Structures are given as structure tokens and as C-alpha cells.
Amino acid sequence: ADKRVAFLSNAPRRADRVAAVLREKGVPDAHYDAVVSSGEAARLALASRRRPPLDDLGGAYYLLGPAADGDLLQGLDYRGVASVGEADFLLAIGLEGPRASLGHYEPVLREAAARALPMVCVNPDRLVIRLGVRELCAGALAARYAELGGPVDYVGKPYPEVYALCLERLGVGDRRRVLAVGDGLETDIRGAQAAGIDSLLVTGGLLADALGIDRKTPPEKAALEAACARAAAQPTAAIATLVW
């Protein structure tokens, strides 16, 4: 129907790497117009240093996440360090492996919080479902760090910066003609609301267990309304699974 399409992901890595994953999953480049990731948005923000607190972080960061994703700031005026004591800020990308726990990071988070080190969280998601398995994300680390009194700055959904970048890449001026599709109430739907665009909630993803449904079964109206109220997020419409 000649509609422009962008994939907006809280993946804490460069957009070209997200595009490569889409190709592996059978989605060729010709089927969409742009890929925008929280990792790409964070890299641009850290490179430009145009907004606080990213404009005054210092150049040394301690990486929280898999070493394979540690190339996010490669080529910029930043360097990874081996200890919290050497760091100017924490770069939270994720947990090291699908079975990693928050407890594993507790000593590091406490040490950093004692120094009031800023954390840049490059994936606000707390939880993701990967191949049917629920895994903790960088947002869970950030939430725990905030509980310890550490300062956190987020880049990605539901924060406005990444939506502005996405709409810029799409070349869309009239937000009334944009639809966001996603399964996260706190990220996809709340972010769409804040950005002033309509949203379609896919209930058979992250919410399926809480709603007591499988991925193909529509939820009870009252259960869905209660979930939206708890998340303070109201979709324009909902669908069990994305079909077209």
C-alpha cells in the first residue's frame, strides 16, 4: 500500500546490526524504509554531547553487558575501562547471557552508586522474550541502580529522543498519520502516547502470561483494561497477534 515502515527497537546496538538480524529472520531491506535502534540513538547523543547529562560525562565508561556489544562507541572519543573505580560513567547495554541475574551485578552497582556515577541505559526494556524465553534487559539493571540511589539517563522507548529520530528518518511531518505497533505497554504504548502518535498493542507477546492467554487468543476486555491502567498506558487499539 506504499506505506513507509520503520523498525524502532530498543536493541542496544548499531542500526546496521539490527538490520542484519532482520535479514537473518527473513525480512529483506526492501520491506522497510528505516531501522532506528536505541543503541544508534545513544551513539548519536553521546557523539554530539548536546543535552544534559550526556554533555558532561567524561570519556571513560564501565560496560555492563556482553563484550560482543561493547563496540557501540567505537570510533568516538570514549574508552572502556576495566573497573568502576576508573570510570566516569556506566554504559548499561544488558546482562551477560540469558541466565544472568541482577544479583551478579549487585557489587558493581553498589560501588558505582556510592560514587554517584551516572548510568547511561541504552535499552530501557526490563524484560524481553527471545525465542520463547524471558530474559532480563538493561532496563532491569537501571531500575536496580536507581533503587540504590544511582542517577540514570535512558535512551530508547518510551523516551522522546528516539521517536524524534525515527520520524526524522521516515520523513514524516504529520504525526496523526503514524501508527506504532508493539507488545510493551511501558515502552511501545507509553512511548507512542508521549510522542503523540496512535498505537496498536499486540497482546500475545510480553503481556500474554499476565493476561492468561496464548499468543493467538484475544484477552478479556476487563483484563486488558486493568493491565493498561496499571501501566498508565492506553493503546488506540489492540490485536492478539500482528497479521495483515
Side-chain angles (χ1 to χ4, degrees):
D2 198 30
K3 306 296 183 184
R4 280 167 285 176
V5 175
F7 282 98
L8 174 56
S9 170
N10 270 354
R13 51 193 63 90
R14 300 291 303 276
D16 57 350
R17 291 183 60 189
V18 178
V21 172
L22 288 171
R23 287 184 215 110
E24 291 173 5
K25 294 181 179 295
V27 183
D29 296 1
H31 284 190
Y32 57 87
D33 300 278
V35 172
V36 176
S37 66
S38 57
E40 192 73 26
R43 179 182 170 88
L44 291 171
L46 285 164
S48 68
R49 294 181 178 269
R50 288 179 181 169
R51 70 163 177 86
L54 304 186
D55 58 345
D56 190 30
L57 282 178
Y61 65 88
Y62 183 81
L63 179 69
L64 296 173
D69 288 332
D71 62 347
L72 183 65
L73 302 184
Q74 188 174 2
L76 301 181
D77 191 21
Y78 294 94
R79 59 186 177 89
V81 294
S83 69
V84 171
E86 303 170 79
D88 297 315
F89 67 98
L90 303 177
L91 184 66
I93 286 180
L95 283 73
E96 297 180 56
R99 291 183 175 82
S101 68
L102 289 180
H104 173 75
Y105 292 90
E106 188 73 8
V108 167
L109 296 179
R110 286 186 176 276
E111 181 183 354
R115 293 186 54 208
L117 283 185
M119 172 189 282
V120 179
C121 178
V122 189
N123 178 359
D125 288 351
R126 297 190 184 192
L127 186 71
V128 69
I129 298 176
R130 186 174 285 114
L131 298 178
V133 178
R134 290 172 176 260
E135 298 178 10
L136 293 176
C137 299
L141 287 172
R144 177 57 185 153
Y145 192 56
E147 288 176 352
L148 294 170
V152 181
D153 187 75
Y154 294 91
V155 182
K157 300 178 290 184
Y159 300 94
E161 190 170 43
V162 76
Y163 285 88
L165 179 60
C166 189
L167 295 175
E168 176 187 310
R169 296 285 170 87
L170 279 175
V172 173
D174 186 356
R175 297 191 178 205
R176 295 172 301 175
R177 299 187 62 79
V178 179
L179 177 68
V181 181
D183 68 343
L185 278 170
E186 291 83 2
T187 51
D188 300 314
I189 305 306
R190 193 182 292 167
Q193 277 184 269
I197 59 179
D198 288 340
S199 61
L200 176 64
L201 174 67
V202 180
T203 60
L206 285 171
L207 283 173
D209 287 349
L211 294 173
I213 59 173
D214 60 36
R215 67 184 184 87
K216 294 183 178 180
T217 304
E220 294 292 332
K221 185 173 183 289
L224 178 57
E225 289 176 347
C228 292
R230 286 193 298 271
Q234 184 60 52
T236 308
I239 192 171
T241 187
L242 182 61
V243 294
W244 60 90

